[in-house]
Amino acid sequence: MSEQMYSNSKLSVAILGAGAWGASLANLATANGHQVRVWSRQGSQTIQAVLKDAQIVLSAISMIGVRDVASQVQSFTLSPETIFVTATKGLDPQTTCTPSQIWQTVFPNHAVVVLSGPNLSKEIQMELPAATVVASNIPTAAEIVQLVFSSGRFRVYTNPDPLGVELGGTLKNVIAIAAGVCDGLQLGTNAKAALVTRGLTEMVRIGNNWGAKTETFYGLSGLGDLLATCNSPLSRNYQVGYQLAGGKSLTETLANLQGTAEGVNTCQVLMQRAKQQNIPVPITEQVYRLLQGEITPRQALDELMLRDIKPEYNY
Ligand SMILES: NC(=O)C1=CN([C@@H]2O[C@H](COP(=O)(O)OP(=O)(O)OC[C@H]3O[C@@H](n4cnc5c(N)ncnc54)[C@H](OP(=O)(O)O)[C@@H]3O)[C@@H](O)[C@H]2O)C=CC1
Ligand SMILES: O=C(CO)COP(=O)(O)O
């Protein structure tokens, strides 16, 4: 199959955010022959110039900037056909909303597509093969975005559950912090397998409460991204856990981290939501207490191991 088959129609793509992920996605779309403009706060182009005539507007902004950037975009005129794509993996601390929910609220008449999967940007920059998922309530919008990014080195699947796809990418970051702790403490392969598997159960539980489909969490954007992030030192979230296990403070760890580790804020938002909704989230709770400095990594481990014994599933 030639790469050309993916790229018959050339689109105008605006990428918001020139961080590690925005830059990688810009390269993928450019390699497919699309006209790509990138906006960054440090760049020379204004956001208005980047948005001009854009058929696709993709946000790869860290969670902290999403609300502000969405409201900046709102002040410019866009074609009603413009499709928004969100690649952010986080939760809004004020509202617990997902990034796509923010974009959809600000642009209620536009199609919004979530792009998420096991996509460590350093590997994608090295042109190693990877796969991802694009999900939307409007299937044709997801199919257009699929064509924009698909190539022989980036395989893009569509999915009809945008909430599940988005939550998979977001929730796994908290488990990846725990996985970094597990490896940092040298707890072994059995412990890591138990943590990741029970982490997935916790993600499904939270996702179901939110209204996402169970099967989505067993796909690329759930289990796939969980495996990638929990097993790679390239993951910033994994690195946070690893450093904490080595005795570093969170402040020290974040000061030396290259880029964003969304799991730190996501964990806070999740605890808030889990308390409100009465959802059991034992791993998230221990990660939260560790990040707060309330317990040591060893105490977090003991808390998890010594919980009341119970069946694996409540069928
Ligand atoms: N790196 C990866 O492997 C992947 C990352 N992601 C997700 O993509 C998102 C971005 O990650 P990544 O690119 O790695 O992070 P980086 O830290 O490399 O870049 C952060 C980006 O967010 C922008 N940004 C941060 N704060 C603000 C703000 N207040 N207002 C406007 N823009 C802001 C930065 O803008 P500026 O350019 O102006 O500095 C930059 O473009 C995260 O949610 C992450 O979870 C998803 C998949 C893979
Ligand atoms: O989401 C990612 C890979 O899919 C990137 O993970 P980190 O944000 O932990 O680096």
Side-chain angles (χ1 to χ4, degrees), residues 159-176:
N159 181 299
D161 177 20
L163 180 64
V165 167
E166 196 168 32
L167 286 177
T170 294
L171 303 180
K172 62 82 194 174
N173 282 333
V174 176
I175 309 301

Side-chain angles (χ1 to χ4, degrees), residues 32-93:
N32 280 352
H34 299 286
Q35 192 208 330
V36 178
R37 284 190 290 246
V38 180
W39 174 76
S40 149
R41 290 168 301 174
Q42 281 89 42
S44 53
Q45 281 198 293
T46 63
I47 193 164
Q48 184 174 18
V50 167
L51 290 170
K52 191 171 180 310
D53 301 329
Q55 291 160 294
I56 308 263
V57 175
L58 183 147
S59 161
I61 301 284
S62 301
M63 190 66 237
I64 193 169
V66 169
R67 196 169 276 286
D68 176 47
V69 172
S71 78
Q72 284 186 55
V73 175
Q74 199 182 20
S75 54
F76 304 109
T77 308
L78 292 169
S79 153
E81 303 295 311
T82 302
I83 297 170
F84 285 89
V85 184
T86 168
T88 305
K89 295 175 175 174
L91 292 173
D92 180 32

Side-chain angles (χ1 to χ4, degrees), residues 188-264:
T189 307
N190 294 331
K192 181 83 167 287
L195 175 71
V196 172
T197 308
R198 293 309 297 172
L200 183 60
T201 304
E202 195 162 310
M203 287 166 58
V204 170
R205 196 182 301 131
I206 300 163
N208 285 164
N209 172 278
W210 224 292
K213 293 191 176 72
T214 300
E215 313 87 79
T216 309
F217 291 92
Y218 295 109
L220 282 170
S221 57
L223 176 62
D225 205 359
L226 184 68
L227 292 176
T229 320
C230 289
N231 289 310
S232 175
L234 291 178
S235 156
R236 284 82 47 98
N237 290 288
Y238 174 96
Q239 284 172 34
V240 167
Y242 197 90
Q243 300 292 330
L244 291 176
K248 294 228 170 72
S249 70
L250 182 61
T251 315
E252 214 179 341
T253 301
L254 294 181
N256 294 321
L257 193 73
Q258 271 201 336
T260 313
E262 297 278 22
V264 175

Side-chain angles (χ1 to χ4, degrees), residues 19-25 118-127 234 236:
W21 193 214
S24 303
L25 288 166
N119 297 150
L120 296 158
S121 59
K122 280 225 168 88
E123 292 189 359
I124 289 171
Q125 278 160 3
M126 290 163 69
E127 305 198 357
L234 291 178
R236 284 82 47 98

